[in-house]
């Protein structure tokens, strides 16, 4: 499909954009007026600490600041107008949101890339409350490495009664001694676990301090938005529990992470945590990332004010999202194999940042590139039917596997016990086989890929068709 054919096919969506939808703004929680909310992608600069030089060449939706937290309301329409202020092409994907296929932001699969000075209107009504995030799906590696990742919160229809709601965007950057960005892609990293950053940030700050009410109930929303890093997190030793995983309220308990058993949060995944803060003013508690060379406080929570005297028994049970339930008795099994591709040569085509290497594959076939014609789906599912997908990792590296547009539930693993909590991203460990169940309830062509972006861009990608 060429550009003219694509735009003619989406004329109806453009007409719908004139209707006017609202967005809940992150800054003040007030309802936006009629019409779209503009999200303009632009280059900017930022200082990652007072003792660091200013870093140029970053990409955000704000000047001199990280991409904002976007807040929507469950069941209420949103109209987000992406305006491209870069010379690069771009799109925007709303990670984890079950939305119409045409709004999913995947170049050539659901829309044409957005060029310099162009705009695209994303219109959807989020059916599920929870913590999600957004990032480009064109020039993905470059723009994400430059900072274009942000948290998207879909608020429950009713207030959940927390005293503080704290979104935490975990994101690393590769910076030189001069503070400038280092190359974001390395063939060596792409052929292994991915290229890691050397400056770990939370909301673009190094070990920031967040003030929260003493004696209060705090909801932390942690999102791993890196291109490669798998976080090993230790949470504060205070009363608390994990209340949601990848956007959805937990159905089975997730163990509280400790220094001996940290919580693995891989690229694309999110976790919501409820904490009861200490009663005294000025107490600091850390969320700690365990690293190969030591550890780092990703954020410090500092109590302020007189104690609110809350109790963990007051933490609400989050209302279940309206997810379809797979019928396992009638579910059809399909196996997908994730592996290495030894030849190392690949296509370099399209407008969205292929690297000319193929190191990875699905079903032993590497993704040839975003704009290659005649590439079929890795699986075709019938609308409304239940399926079990067997995800088999035949490679020596871990892969966070993400499926767009649908939600699945882990059933079993050959290596560990997995809580049966709905998700859109599962970390497939070395030589692991995981069975997941889903209902093919959302028609369209849905991207299916590893969220280590270098793996995605060097072959470990495809799409699932629901018809």
């Amino acid at each position: 499909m060429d550009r003219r054919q694509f735009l003619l096919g989406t004329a109806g969506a453009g007409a719908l954009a004139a209707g006017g939808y609202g967005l809940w703004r992150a800054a003040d929680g007030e309802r936006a007026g009629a019409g779209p909310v503009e999200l303009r992608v632009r280059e900017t600069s930022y200082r990652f600490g007072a003792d660091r030089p200013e870093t140029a060449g970053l990409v955000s939706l704000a000047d001199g600041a990280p991409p904002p937290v976007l807040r929507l309301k469950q069941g209420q329409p949103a109209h987000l107008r992406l305006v491209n202020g870069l010379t690069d092409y771009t799109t925007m994907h709303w990670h984890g949101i079950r939305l119409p296929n045409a709004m999913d932001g995947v170049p050539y699969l659901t829309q044409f890339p957005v060029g310099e000075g162009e705009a695209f209107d994303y219109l959807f009504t989020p059916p599920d409350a929870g913590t999600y995030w957004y990032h480009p799906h064109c020039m993905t590696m470059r723009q994400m490495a430059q900072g274009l990742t942000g948290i998207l919160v879909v608020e429950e229809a009713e207030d959940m009664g927390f005293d503080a709601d704290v979104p935490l965007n975990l994101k690393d950057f590769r910076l030189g001694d001069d503070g400038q960005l280092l190359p974001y892609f390395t063939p060596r990293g792409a052929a292994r676990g991915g290229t890691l950053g050397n400056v770990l940030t939370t909301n673009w700050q190094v070990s920031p301090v967040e003030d929260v009410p003493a004696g209060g109930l705090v909801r932390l929303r942690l999102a791993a938005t890196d291109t490669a890093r798998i976080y090993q997190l230790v949470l504060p030793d205070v009363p608390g529990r994990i209340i949601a995983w990848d956007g959805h309220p937990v159905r089975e308990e997730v163990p509280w992470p400790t220094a001996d058993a940290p919580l693995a949060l891989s690229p694309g995944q999110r976790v919501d945590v409820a904490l009861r803060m200490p009663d005294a003013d000025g107490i600091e508690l850390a969320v700690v990332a365990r690293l190969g060379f030591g550890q780092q406080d990703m954020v410090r929570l500092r109590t302020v004010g007189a104690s609110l005297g809350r109790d963990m028994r007051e933490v609400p049970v989050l209302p279940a999202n309206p997810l379809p339930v797979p019928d396992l008795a009638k579910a059809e099994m399909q196996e997908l194999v994730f592996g290495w591709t030894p030849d190392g040569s690949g296509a370099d085509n399209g407008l969205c940042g292929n690297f000319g290497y193929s190191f990875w594959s699905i079903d032993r076939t590497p993704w040839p590139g975003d704009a290659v014609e005649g590439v079929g789906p890795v699986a075709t599912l019938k609308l409304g039917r239940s399926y079990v997908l067997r995800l088999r990792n035949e490679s020596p590296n871990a892969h966070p596997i993400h499926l767009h547009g649908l939600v699945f539930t882990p059933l079993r693993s050959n290596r560990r016990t997995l809580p049966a909590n709905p998700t859109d991203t599962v970390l497939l460990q070395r030589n692991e086989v995981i069975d997941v169940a889903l209902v093919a309830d959302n028609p369209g062509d849905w991207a299916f890929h590893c969220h280590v972006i270098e793996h995605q861009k060097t072959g470990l990608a495809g799409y699932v068709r629901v018809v």
Side-chain angles (χ1 to χ4, degrees):
M1 180 179 292
D2 65 22
R3 181 182 181 87
R4 174 176 170 79
Q5 289 172 318
F6 191 94
L7 293 177
L8 287 173
T10 55
L16 181 60
Y21 287 70
L23 172 73
W24 284 79
R25 295 185 184 277
D28 53 19
E30 294 181 359
R31 189 70 171 176
V37 172
E38 182 176 294
L39 305 175
R40 189 174 70 85
V41 183
R42 82 284 305 269
E43 282 201 11
T44 191
S45 58
Y46 186 81
R47 193 182 301 276
F48 292 99
D51 58 342
R52 296 175 180 269
E54 189 170 73
T55 300
L58 298 169
V59 177
S60 182
L61 299 179
D63 291 325
V69 176
L70 303 180
R71 290 185 180 267
L72 310 181
K73 274 285 189 179
Q74 183 180 17
Q76 295 189 13
H79 182 176
L80 311 178
R81 175 167 290 163
L82 182 74
V83 179
N84 186 9
L86 304 175
T87 55
D88 274 346
Y89 286 85
T90 194
T91 65
M92 196 65 77
H93 169 57
W94 316 98
H95 184 115
I97 302 289
R98 298 188 297 142
L99 38 56
N101 191 240
M103 299 292 105
D104 198 43
V106 180
Y108 303 106
L109 195 64
T110 71
Q111 69 172 91
F112 201 83
V114 181
E116 181 181 7
E118 296 179 343
F120 188 90
D121 290 282
Y122 294 96
L123 303 101
F124 58 89
T125 299
D128 307 317
T131 303
Y132 305 94
W133 64 294
Y134 60 93
H135 66 83
H137 230 280
C138 180
M139 305 305 295
T140 315
M141 185 67 198
R142 177 189 297 179
Q143 292 175 17
M144 285 182 62
Q146 291 172 317
L148 188 53
T149 70
I151 292 179
L152 190 157
V153 172
V154 180
E155 297 176 341
E156 291 83 1
E158 302 295 332
D159 190 308
M160 291 293 100
F162 289 97
D163 301 303
D165 185 310
V166 185
L168 300 171
N169 183 350
L170 309 183
K171 171 82 179 71
D172 69 14
F173 294 85
R174 295 192 75 221
L175 303 181
D177 293 339
D178 60 356
Q180 301 315 301
L181 291 164
L182 295 172
Y184 53 86
F185 168 84
T186 64
R188 179 181 177 86
R192 291 169 174 79
T195 303
L196 300 179
N198 56 5
V199 176
L200 280 68
T201 73
T202 299
N203 301 336
W204 282 26
Q205 299 177 67
V206 178
S207 303
V209 175
E210 293 278 349
D211 288 339
V212 294
L217 295 178
V218 176
R219 182 176 187 170
L220 301 183
R221 302 175 184 265
L222 295 110
T225 73
D226 280 314
T227 60
R229 183 178 298 279
I230 300 173
Y231 288 88
Q232 303 291 336
L233 298 176
V234 180
L235 298 177
D237 186 17
V238 295
R241 67 172 179 264
I242 292 172
I243 57 175
W245 188 264
D246 287 343
H248 303 285
V250 297
R251 296 174 180 173
E252 294 187 7
E253 181 180 359
V254 179
W256 191 255
T258 64
D260 295 329
L263 176 72
L265 200 67
S266 64
Q269 293 188 302
R270 298 85 65 207
V271 62
D272 286 33
V273 177
L275 297 176
R276 199 282 185 180
M277 299 303 296
D279 291 302
D281 179 73
I283 302 296
E284 290 192 8
L285 304 171
V287 175
V288 177
R290 300 286 299 275
L291 307 169
F293 53 83
Q295 63 183 40
Q296 177 178 315
D297 292 350
M298 295 307 299
V299 66
R300 299 190 66 83
L301 304 173
R302 181 172 59 198
T303 58
V304 295
S307 175
L308 298 182
R310 301 294 298 273
D311 191 288
M312 278 298 293
R313 289 172 293 184
E314 300 176 70
V315 173
V317 175
L318 299 180
N321 286 323
L323 303 178
V325 179
D327 184 348
L328 296 182
K330 298 181 179 179
E332 176 186 330
M333 169 78 75
Q334 296 201 24
E335 182 173 80
L336 295 157
V337 178
F338 305 93
W340 195 51
T341 298
D343 61 18
S345 61
D348 188 5
N349 58 76
L351 306 173
C352 286
N354 299 89
F355 296 125
Y357 295 91
S358 287
F359 296 127
W360 305 98
S361 65
I362 299 179
D363 289 341
R364 302 177 179 87
T365 302
W367 179 250
D370 296 324
V372 175
E373 295 181 357
V375 178
V378 297
T380 299
L381 312 181
K382 296 296 185 183
L383 184 64
R385 293 189 184 177
S386 297
Y387 292 87
V388 172
L389 302 183
R390 175 158 291 169
L391 311 180
R392 181 182 298 277
N393 185 6
E394 293 186 346
S395 82
N397 294 96
H399 302 287
I401 301 299
H402 173 51
L403 177 59
H404 291 212
L406 302 168
V407 169
F408 56 84
T409 301
L411 298 177
R412 63 189 70 88
S413 162
N414 67 333
R415 295 195 55 184
R416 55 191 166 129
T417 299
L418 292 173
N421 292 317
T423 180
D424 51 73
T425 307
V426 66
L427 179 59
L428 195 59
Q429 296 180 349
R430 176 180 181 176
N431 297 325
E432 187 173 27
V433 181
I434 297 178
D435 290 350
V436 302
L438 60 84
V439 179
D441 65 327
N442 201 356
D445 290 341
W446 299 106
F448 188 48
H449 61 87
C450 178
H451 230 286
V452 173
I453 305 302
E454 284 162 296
H455 292 178
Q456 174 196 340
K457 288 294 188 178
T458 57
L460 213 162
Y463 67 96
V464 170
R465 173 165 290 166
V466 178
V467 291

